[in-house]
Structures are given as C-alpha cells and as structure tokens.
C-alpha cells in the first residue's frame, strides 16, 4: 500500500486516479511515501526519511526545497501545461484591459445618476475611455513553453503580429509553437519591436529581476508589459520609474505589489491565473498520475530535479536505484548483479546534473544480501524494489 500525505485540498478528479486498494491518501498520513501539495510552503525539515516523491499540483515549485529534495533522493514533480489554458485566457483578458479602458468605463457607469438620462450621460463622456484595437499590433512573447505557445497562438487568432524569444525552448515546445510566430535573436530585439510584451518564463536565479532598469531601456516607447508568470521577475521600483517617465504605458500583472498598487498605469489582479475549476482538476489529475507511475513502476515524468526515465515493465522484478552522478557507479551496480548471478532483462540509466536514476528489471527476486550491497555503494542514495507484475 502506497501512502500519500496531502498538505492542501486536492480536486476529487485527481484523487480518483489513485485506487483505494493500492493507495492510502489523507492529511494525517504517518510516514508517507509521497507528498501531494499545491501552494503549501514545504520546508526541508518536513522531508521525512520515508518520503520518496513530492508532487506539486501546479507548474511553479518555488514552495518546495528542491536542493534538499535532490540531496535526499526525493523526486519533485510539477504539472507543466495543466493550467496553461486557464492562464492563457487571463492573459487575453489582460491584453484587452490594456487596449481598452474597461475598468475606467465600468467605474464611470457605476458612478452615474440613474435618475437622470443615462444615454445622454454616457454619450457625453464615453470618449474619455477610447482605446485601441489589438489587431495589427505586435505581441512579443518571452518564454515559449506550454503557456507562451498558447498565448502566441491566441495573439495570431486576434490578428496580431507575434514575435517570440526563448533561449531554452524544448523540442516538445518547439513543435507546439505556431509556425507563424517569428523567432527573434534576443530579448532586446523583442522588447524594441513589441507593442505588448508578455512574460512566460519560470522564476530562476537567472530570471529574478530580469525586467529591470537596464532591460526596460530596450522597450518600445508607449508599450505595455504583462506579467502572468511570477512577481519577482519584474523589478517593481524600476518599473514604476519607467511608467512615471512614460517609457512604458501600462503594466498588467497577476500579482499585487505594494509599490505599484496606487499607480494609474498599473492593473493588478489577485493571482487568478490558475484559479479555474478546470485548471485545478487538470493539475490534480496530472499530479496524481505522475505519483502513481512513480510509486507503482518507478517511472519519472515531468520532474524538476530528476531525469526523465520511462521503462515498460517486464515480467520480472524491478529495482529503482538513485545515486549521485559520479563516474563508476553504474559499473559498481551491474557488477553486483553479476556476482549474485542475476540476469538483467532490461535497464535504463539517465542522469541530470548531480543525480542519476536507474530502472533495472531482473528475472528473479533480489536477495537481501544484494540489496544490502547495493545500498552500501558510497554514491547510492536509495534502492527500491518492485514486485513482479
């Protein structure tokens, strides 16, 4: 029985993917094999020795101590793309809010004297809320992953010219990107040409403060910046200065920022990007499926700290071995199989940065002496055994 502890409310559609005869799931589970979380701020001190995996029902993992997990051989999963459509639709709303003064118009209508001639009042003042069309304008998409590619497609559908930049685009993301999107050579070129710039990059050390006083100098005068990625990607102080100096016309974001709330050129939302029933269900389903594949077969998909490893189950027994990525470890492992006269039916070895992961199918149950010897290799972090299918 695999035990999973939840630290947040998880959509029922996801929990239903974990059969009760094979999984025990709850908020008070002792010695869990895995954790299933959403926004819960997980600390390194909470990583019990029994934990082998953490699944975050969402794309961002800045609430998970990644380095501590990797050091202890704990696989961290996220759900990239599960909330992509939800975020994309909110970005479209942000584009429309920036092009048309919808908020101003709504506030004006709410202030009208209903006892007077509403038509006359509206006709006299509606020119105050004149906007522009998005059709024919240039949309610059920084980050062309699951969300960025969807936003790019939506921009094209609205008649915008779309340009994009992503120095680390994956093969999978490249295939999903519409061919009509023009790829530019660097960020500065994108900023200088776009009427609207939308950010869709992860929060990393390299992207924290990416939009700062220096990069803002490259923006096209009068352009609009949209941030539905992560708040710290934009330097709030530098952004306010750019707005005050009319180098930027507007900032639309999904995060309230103390230094920007009162600025007339700012439109801020209370982090609504993934706040739809559909997104929560999609994230929960994907997170549950990832945990199930890992806990039942050892397969790893969509991990932020381990390599992608997927090996079809054979009829034999399976070992999942995690080790530090140092030379000679795989040889040490396979030599032990030879010593114990075990035949390897199939195996797969992959590494990522400091960690390596091995799935090895053998034709007989591993003896306790073999498991002890494998665990005794200095660079081996953990050894798991899966019974024969």
């Amino acid at each position: 029985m695999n035990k999973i502890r939840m630290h947040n409310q998880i959509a029922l559609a996801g929990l239903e993917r974990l059969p009760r005869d094979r999984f025990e799931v709850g908020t008070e589970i002792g010695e869990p094999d895995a954790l299933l979380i959403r926004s819960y701020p997980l600390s390194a001190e909470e990583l019990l020795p029994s934990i082998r995996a953490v699944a975050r029902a969402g794309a961002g993992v800045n609430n998970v101590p990644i380095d501590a997990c990797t050091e202890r051989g704990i696989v961290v999963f996220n759900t990239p793309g599960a909330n992509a459509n939800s975020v994309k639709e909110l970005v479209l709303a942000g584009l429309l809010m920036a092009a048309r003064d919808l908020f101003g118009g709504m506030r004006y209508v709410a202030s009208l004297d209903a006892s007077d001639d509403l038509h006359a009042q509206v006709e006299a003042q509606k020119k105050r809320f004149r906007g522009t069309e998005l059709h024919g304008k240039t949309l610059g998409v920084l980050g062309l992953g699951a969300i960025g590619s969807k936003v790019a497609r939506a921009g094209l559908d609205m008649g915008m010219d779309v340009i994009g930049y992503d120095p680390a685009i994956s093969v999978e993301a490249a295939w999903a990107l519409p061919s009509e999107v023009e790829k530019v050579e660097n960020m500065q070129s994108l900023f200088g040409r776009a009427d609207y710039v939308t950010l869709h990059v992860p929060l990393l050390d390299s992207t924290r403060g990416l939009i700062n006083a220096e990069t803002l100098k490259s923006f096209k005068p009068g352009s609009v910046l949209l941030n539905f990625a992560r708040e710290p990607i934009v330097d709030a102080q530098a952004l306010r200065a750019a707005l005050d100096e009319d180098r930027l016309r507007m900032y639309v974001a999904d995060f309230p920022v103390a230094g920007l709330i009162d600025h007339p050129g700012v439109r801020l939302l209370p982090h609504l990007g993934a706040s739809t029933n559909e997104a929560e269900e999609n994230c929960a389903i994907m997170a549950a499926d990832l945990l199930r594949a890992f806990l039942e077969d050892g397969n790893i998909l969509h991990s932020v700290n381990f390599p992608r490893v997927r090996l079809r189950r054979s009829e034999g027994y399976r070992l999942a071995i995690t080790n530090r990525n140092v030379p000679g470890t795989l040889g040490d492992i396979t030599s032990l199989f030879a010593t114990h006269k075990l035949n390897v039916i199939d195996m797969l070895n992959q590494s990522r940065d400091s960690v390596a992961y091995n799935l090895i199918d053998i034709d007989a149950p591993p003896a306790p002496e073999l498991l002890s010897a494998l665990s005794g290799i200095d660079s081996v972090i953990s050894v798991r055994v899966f019974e024969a299918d």
Side-chain angles (χ1 to χ4, degrees):
M1 179 74 73
N2 293 296
K3 299 193 292 185
I4 300 175
R5 180 189 294 171
M6 298 186 302
H7 281 288
N8 295 106
Q9 184 175 351
I10 304 297
L12 181 60
L15 300 182
E16 290 176 341
R17 311 285 281 209
L18 302 168
R20 293 185 180 181
D21 61 333
R22 299 200 294 278
F23 292 89
E24 182 183 358
V25 185
T27 57
E28 303 297 330
I29 299 293
E31 297 187 351
D33 299 294
L35 303 179
L36 181 54
I37 66 174
R38 288 173 59 200
S39 58
Y40 180 79
L42 186 65
S43 67
E45 291 71 30
E46 295 173 282
L47 299 175
L48 301 176
S50 62
I51 295 173
R52 300 187 181 279
V54 175
R56 157 83 163 99
V61 289
N62 48 316
N63 58 322
V64 180
I66 304 295
D67 291 342
C69 286
T70 304
E71 179 64 26
R72 302 181 196 195
I74 298 172
V75 183
V76 179
F77 297 100
N78 68 339
T79 58
N83 61 6
N85 190 70
S86 178
V87 177
K88 177 207 75 175
E89 291 184 358
L90 196 63
V91 172
L92 296 183
L95 283 168
L96 291 168
M97 287 189 295
R100 311 287 292 271
D101 190 4
L102 303 178
F103 280 174
M106 292 170 65
R107 284 195 297 266
Y108 167 69
V109 169
S111 71
L112 294 177
D113 182 357
S115 64
D116 202 351
D117 185 342
L118 292 176
H119 177 74
Q121 293 180 75
V122 167
E123 289 302 314
Q125 296 295 328
K126 69 178 185 180
K127 61 184 177 182
R128 291 165 45 193
F129 311 107
R130 184 186 301 274
T132 61
E133 293 185 5
L134 293 172
H135 187 279
K137 303 301 188 299
T138 298
L139 174 65
V141 183
L142 181 61
L144 298 168
I147 298 173
S149 62
K150 285 184 178 291
V151 171
R153 174 77 270 172
L156 292 168
D157 290 342
M158 290 192 297
M160 302 184 79
D161 296 323
V162 181
I163 59 177
Y165 177 70
D166 190 334
I169 188 170
S170 66
V171 173
E172 184 179 359
W175 277 107
L177 189 67
S179 59
E180 301 94 324
V181 176
E182 179 188 348
K183 274 71 76 178
V184 297
E185 62 274 14
N186 53 48
M187 283 194 310
Q188 289 70 25
S189 178
L190 184 142
F191 296 156
R193 292 176 53 188
D195 300 298
Y196 298 84
V197 173
T198 180
L199 307 176
H200 299 289
V201 295
L203 179 58
L204 307 169
D205 289 342
S206 58
T207 60
R208 186 179 298 272
L210 181 68
I211 306 301
N212 52 45
E214 187 61 31
T215 53
L216 282 166
K217 293 177 182 178
S218 300
F219 276 66
K220 182 178 180 179
S223 59
V224 173
L225 175 64
L226 299 97
N227 180 13
F228 288 81
R230 287 289 183 268
E231 176 195 329
I233 293 171
V234 177
D235 182 325
Q237 185 175 355
L239 180 79
R240 186 175 184 113
L243 289 166
D244 289 342
E245 297 166 9
D246 293 327
R247 288 185 284 117
L248 206 65
R249 180 171 68 83
M250 187 176 292
Y251 178 59
V252 183
D254 200 19
F255 320 98
V257 183
L260 297 174
I261 288 177
D262 61 340
H263 197 285
V266 172
R267 305 287 184 269
L268 301 177
L269 299 173
H271 204 183
L272 300 178
S275 294
T276 64
N277 294 333
E278 294 84 354
E280 289 186 8
E281 287 192 355
N282 290 340
C283 288
I285 289 171
M286 187 172 179
D289 287 348
L290 292 171
L291 279 183
R292 182 175 177 178
F294 175 71
L295 293 174
E296 291 192 332
D297 292 317
N299 290 320
I300 297 177
L301 305 172
H302 297 302
S303 172
V304 300
N305 65 333
F306 267 62
R308 178 188 176 97
V309 180
R310 185 174 188 176
L311 184 65
R312 176 179 291 183
R313 283 299 297 268
S314 66
E315 295 180 354
Y317 292 77
R318 169 166 289 187
L319 296 180
I321 303 174
T322 302
N323 61 274
R324 295 180 181 85
N325 189 19
V326 297
T329 302
L330 183 58
D332 293 340
I333 291 172
T334 54
S335 67
L336 285 174
F337 286 105
T339 299
H340 286 78
K341 296 181 170 48
L342 280 175
N343 180 46
V344 174
I345 302 172
D346 201 358
M347 71 175 294
L348 187 60
N349 163 267
Q350 295 290 337
S351 63
R352 178 173 178 175
D353 300 327
S354 63
V355 69
Y357 186 71
N358 314 269
L359 288 180
I360 305 173
D361 289 349
I362 53 180
D363 61 356
E369 294 80 11
L370 170 62
L371 299 179
S372 177
L374 288 169
S375 298
I377 298 174
D378 287 342
S379 55
V380 168
I381 299 172
S382 67
V383 179
R384 297 169 61 202
V385 180
F386 299 85
E387 297 297 324
D389 264 358

